[in-house]
């Protein structure tokens, strides 16, 4: 079984303009997949609407995988997305993924996004960017 991973999935979904969003989704998700992000569930159509919106505002970026674990059909990772937006702004976000892989190694996942940790010595409420 060829396994998908978060780096390949996000590269195709967000950054690879040589393929359509539907082609990217077909590579990495199942038709019945659902995503839960910060407690909110989205079906595949809602997820793809969101990714389509992101494709419109993301100019490029990189996925940095820190930890990745496969255990049978279970998948987990911790990664950081470094994104440059079309307006020149940047976003850095650490994300935790817990997923069930389909037999064809596409995912149905639960994600939790975390802002970057506060710098040591930063005051509470201060921006947590490096």
């Amino acid at each position: 079984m060829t396994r998908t991973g978060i780096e390949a999935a996000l590269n195709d979904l967000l950054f690879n303009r040589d393929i359509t969003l539907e082609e990217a989704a077909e590579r990495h998700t199942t038709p019945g997949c659902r995503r839960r992000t910060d407690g909110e569930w989205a079906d595949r159509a809602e997820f793809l609407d969101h990714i389509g919106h992101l494709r419109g505002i993301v100019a490029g970026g990189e996925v940095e995988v820190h930890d990745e674990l496969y255990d049978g059909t279970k998948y987990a990772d911790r990664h950081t997305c470094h994104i440059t937006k079309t307006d020149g702004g940047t976003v850095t976000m650490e994300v935790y993924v817990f997923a069930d892989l389909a037999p064809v190694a596409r995912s149905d996942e639960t994600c939790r996004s975390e802002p970057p940790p506060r710098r040591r010595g930063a005051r509470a409420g201060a921006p947590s960017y490096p």
Side-chain angles (χ1 to χ4, degrees):
M1 166 173 74
T2 302
R3 299 188 287 204
T4 191
I6 197 67
E7 185 174 12
L10 290 177
N11 281 332
D12 281 348
L13 289 164
L14 289 176
F15 308 130
N16 185 353
R17 299 306 197 275
D18 293 334
I19 62 173
T20 67
L21 177 56
E22 189 57 42
E23 289 170 314
E26 183 62 26
R27 287 182 186 179
H28 301 287
T29 67
T30 60
C33 80
R34 301 181 312 149
R35 300 280 192 280
R36 187 173 71 187
T37 303
D38 297 333
E40 296 293 322
W41 282 102
D43 63 19
R44 186 178 188 197
E46 292 167 321
F47 170 70
L48 294 181
D49 283 346
H50 177 67
I51 295 298
H53 166 74
L54 291 178
R55 276 186 162 210
I57 63 172
V58 170
E62 170 187 8
V63 178
E64 179 183 3
V65 178
H66 307 291
D67 302 294
E68 190 171 42
L69 174 68
Y70 294 91
D71 185 8
T73 62
K74 303 294 184 193
Y75 173 82
D77 81 49
R78 180 176 67 93
H79 66 275
T80 301
C81 292
H82 304 277
I83 294 176
T84 302
K85 300 187 317 183
T86 55
D87 68 4
T90 60
V91 176
T92 299
M93 183 180 344
E94 185 174 50
V95 180
Y96 301 88
V97 174
F98 304 92
D100 291 315
L101 296 176
V104 290
R106 296 179 290 177
S107 71
D108 182 15
E109 66 186 43
T110 299
C111 304
R112 178 164 171 80
S113 302
E114 295 288 342
R118 268 198 350 233
R119 292 185 313 259
R120 179 180 276 216
R123 63 180 166 75
S128 58
Y129 308 105

